Amino acid sequence: MTRSQETSTGSGIGWTPIAEEAERAARVLHPDANSMPRPTHRRVLTVANQKGGVGKTTSTVNLAAGLALHGVKTLVVDLDPQGNAGTALDVDHRSGTPSVYELLIGEVSLIEATQVSEQSPNLLCVPATIDLAGAEIELVSMASRESRLKEALSAEALDQLGVDYVFIDCPPSLGLLTVNAMVAAHEVLIPIQCEYYALEGLGQLLSNIELVQQHLNPALSVSTILLTMYDGRTKLADQVTQEVRKHFGDVVLKTVIPRSVKVSEAPGYGQTVLAYDPGSRGAMSYLDAAREVAERGATRGRR
């Protein structure tokens, strides 16, 4: 037993798993001593992977929550018609609510569409409603159809909100909504699950990113890859992890997100896992990943 384990309860009772989890939860919920650094410049990241079920929305909301809880003001833009990011952040996304749909077609401003999550005053969200489902068809006939989101997320509009990070949660497709997200962003964050089909379809995503770089947004880059759904009991998870790290190098975060029941349960309660069970392995892993993102942002060169 370590010294920290012996004293973790502070009452001579000794270390227990419950005491350790409580200590971890306290670090999440009382972060004053562990505040994260602000970036050298505002970072706008598109979270994209056309494969469904890889942890895009889960990673978006939990990374954003980790940053927000530790003093970094963060905006989540839900560009998925399913509206799951709004569910996890417990913001209103019923039909008729000012949302990303009205933002794209120019009916509302960014401030009018933005809500504050009850989980942190630093955590903001532009929700998606069911109205977004037909947006791709409507956008086809609009002027500047690929850059509607970029115009809505102008530097001036983001300055009014005072945010340091913007995470854009994409739908599981490579359609016009995802293209809008890539045109609006500086960086792409790709969640990759540690499973057999992890790299299937990744080539198509990277090709699309390259097309956007060539024709619409030369500043776009794949800055971050996050390994999700890691199951330490399987050799396959290690093989996938090694393969991804070998291919992408330092772009891959050191933190790996484990498979976790708590992470899966949290959205059902309208919460991120950091709010639902802050002492769980899933919460601590996302917190570590958020810290990595913050530390990288604090050392990146200014644009």
Side-chain angles (χ1 to χ4, degrees):
M1 188 182 296
T2 67
R3 185 184 182 97
S4 64
Q5 288 172 342
E6 290 173 352
T7 60
S8 64
T9 61
S11 59
I13 296 172
W15 176 86
T16 67
I18 293 174
E20 184 180 23
E21 185 161 333
E23 187 179 2
R24 291 200 303 263
R27 292 206 304 272
V28 175
L29 297 173
H30 304 286
D32 296 342
N34 300 297
S35 61
M36 295 183 187
R38 294 179 62 191
T40 55
H41 62 276
R42 182 184 296 117
R43 297 180 68 186
V44 182
L45 299 97
T46 285
V47 184
N49 191 330
Q50 77 270 28
K51 282 175 65 64
V54 301
K56 278 191 304 296
T57 300
T58 300
S59 296
T60 299
V61 297
N62 284 296
L63 288 173
L67 290 163
L69 287 168
H70 289 73
V72 182
K73 198 163 187 180
T74 306
L75 171 67
V76 172
V77 178
D78 190 355
L79 211 58
D80 187 342
Q82 296 177 79
N84 292 335
T87 299
L89 298 178
D90 195 23
V91 298
D92 188 2
H93 57 96
R94 292 170 295 180
S95 183
T97 303
S99 69
V100 74
Y101 169 73
E102 287 81 9
L103 189 65
L104 285 170
I105 64 174
E107 286 188 357
V108 299
S109 67
L110 180 60
I111 284 185
E112 290 170 329
T114 300
Q115 299 180 43
V116 181
S117 171
E118 290 187 6
Q119 295 175 39
S120 168
N122 288 324
L123 185 54
L124 312 179
C125 179
V126 177
T129 64
I130 194 63
D131 300 324
L132 187 61
E136 288 201 78
I137 298 170
E138 290 185 52
L139 286 171
V140 168
S141 60
M142 288 187 175
S144 307
R145 61 187 181 186
E146 299 95 351
S147 57
R148 305 289 296 189
L149 186 62
K150 180 181 180 181
E151 292 167 10
L153 299 179
S154 66
E156 294 78 13
L158 292 172
D159 284 344
Q160 284 185 287
L161 291 177
V163 293
D164 297 304
Y165 279 85
V166 180
F167 289 93
I168 306 172
D169 184 31
C170 291
S173 71
L174 294 175
L176 198 48
L177 289 175
T178 299
V179 171
N180 260 269
M182 290 183 183
V183 172
H186 307 142
E187 309 170 43
V188 181
L189 186 158
I190 305 175
I192 298 178
Q193 82 277 38
C194 300
E195 294 179 355
Y196 184 72
Y197 293 114
L199 302 180
E200 191 175 77
L202 193 57
Q204 183 61 48
L205 174 61
L206 295 173
S207 296
N208 277 42
I209 291 170
E210 193 173 323
L211 284 171
V212 172
Q213 287 171 328
Q214 290 173 357
H215 300 289
L216 297 167
N217 184 6
L220 188 67
S221 65
V222 178
S223 68
T224 313
I225 289 176
L226 176 63
L227 291 161
T228 64
M229 302 180 186
Y230 178 83
D231 187 343
R233 299 170 297 179
T234 67
K235 181 180 277 189
L236 176 63
D238 279 331
Q239 290 173 341
V240 171
T241 300
Q242 289 170 18
E243 188 69 26
V244 172
R245 291 194 189 283
K246 179 182 174 183
H247 188 76
F248 291 101
D250 292 340
V251 168
V252 187
L253 294 181
K254 294 184 177 68
T255 304
V256 175
I257 308 301
R259 277 201 172 277
S260 167
V261 173
K262 299 296 185 183
V263 169
S264 302
E265 287 177 350
Y269 293 86
Q271 294 179 320
T272 62
V273 71
L274 279 83
Y276 176 65
D277 191 347
S280 66
R281 286 176 62 236
M284 296 308 294
S285 296
Y286 271 116
L287 191 62
D288 289 342
R291 187 172 297 283
E292 269 195 79
V293 169
E295 288 172 352
R296 290 184 179 198
T299 58
R300 288 173 70 90
R302 293 183 180 274
R303 288 184 182 272

